[in-house]
Amino acid sequence: MTLTFISVLPSLLNTNGDAENAVVLARRARWAGLDASVVAVEELSDLPERVDAVIVGSGSDSTLSIARTALLPFHDHFRRWGTEGVPILAVGTGWELLSWGIELASGGAIEGLGILPGRAVPGAGERRIGDLVVRSPRFGRLVGFENHARDYVQAEASPLGRVQAGIGNGRGSSQEGVVMGSVFGTHLHGPVLAKNPAFADAVLAEAAQRAGLAYAPGAAALTIDAHAAAAREAQLRAAGLAPDAGP
C-alpha cells in the first residue's frame, strides 16, 4: 500500500514553503521503508482515490479571496476527512481559510470553510514576526517562525499549545494554534514538520495506523533529526530558552 499525502492549492498556498510539509511526511515514510507519494491538488479532479494526510500551506493576503474560492469545492472533503480522522495540517492563511472566517483590517470579511473553530481578526499593533516556541501537550516543544498581521480568537478551549516565546494567537492568550481531533491549525512556519520531527512522526503514525501499517522512524530520519535538533537548540537559545532535554 502507498501512503498518499496531498498538498492543497500549492500554487496559491506555499508562500513560506509550508506546502512542503507533505514532502517531509513522504520522505520520512520512505525512510521507514513505507511506500509514499505526494500529490499536488489544485482542483477536485486532481484528488487521488486515497488520501492519508492533507497539507494546506500559507498564502498572501492579496490572494485570500482567490484561494477561498478555489478551496470551497473541497469543503465536503475536508468535512469527511476531519470526521474520519485523516490528519490535516493547515498553516497561516491556509488555517485561517479553514476557520469560521477572516476579518480584514479594511473592514471587510472573508467567510471561512468552517472546518476549525475560531476566526482570524485584525491584530492590535505591529505585525507579528519572529521566532515562535510552543509547548504542546501532544507533541512536546515546537519551534518555528511566525509572520502574521491577524490574531486568532474564539478557539481558546482547543489550542495546539502554550506560547513560550513569540505571540502565537495573540490577544494576551499565550496560546498558539487550534486542534480539533486530527485537524491542526498553526502559525508555525518552517516548514513546521521539518523543524519538529516528533510532530511529523505523530502525524505519520496516525496516517499509517489508519492504513493498517506500522510506522517507526528509519535510520536516515535519525541522522536528519540530529541536524534538526542542532537547529532547534540554536533557535531556543536565541529565544532565551533552555535547550530540549536529552534522552
Side-chain angles (χ1 to χ4, degrees), residues 28 143 193-197 223-234:
R28 294 184 73 85
V143 304
L193 297 185
K195 284 193 168 185
N196 300 278
T223 300
I224 296 298
D225 291 354
H227 298 297
R232 286 168 57 86
E233 182 173 337

Side-chain angles (χ1 to χ4, degrees), residues 11 17 34 45 62 95 99 129 135 140 146 176 186 238:
S11 64
L34 302 175
S45 61
S62 64
W95 161 31
S99 75
I129 302 175
R135 175 65 70 179
E146 62 181 335
E176 160 55 20
T186 184

Side-chain angles (χ1 to χ4, degrees), residues 74-164:
F74 295 93
H75 176 272
D76 291 348
H77 291 279
F78 276 109
R79 284 285 187 198
R80 177 171 56 80
W81 292 328
T83 300
E84 293 178 354
V86 175
I88 302 173
L89 171 64
V91 183
T93 56
W95 161 31
E96 293 177 343
L97 288 166
L98 295 189
S99 75
W100 293 335
I102 304 169
E103 297 177 15
L104 304 174
S106 64
I110 294 176
E111 184 178 0
L113 271 65
I115 306 302
L116 282 166
R119 65 181 65 251
V121 299
E126 298 180 352
R127 188 176 186 86
R128 292 86 165 93
I129 302 175
D131 289 331
L132 179 59
V133 181
V134 179
R135 175 65 70 179
S136 167
R138 289 177 65 175
F139 309 115
R141 185 183 260 171
L142 303 175
V143 304
F145 187 82
E146 62 181 335
N147 182 0
H148 55 103
R150 285 179 289 272
D151 295 333
Y152 200 85
V153 298
Q154 299 177 328
E156 289 77 12
S158 53
L160 176 62
R162 184 160 294 276
V163 174
Q164 292 188 314

Side-chain angles (χ1 to χ4, degrees), residues 178-216:
V178 64
V179 177
M180 187 180 70
S182 296
V183 186
F184 310 97
T186 184
H187 293 107
L188 286 161
H189 302 295
V192 61
L193 297 185
K195 284 193 168 185
N196 300 278
F199 191 5
D201 285 343
V203 172
L204 270 173
E206 191 162 349
Q209 183 178 30
R210 290 189 71 258
L213 302 172
Y215 170 78

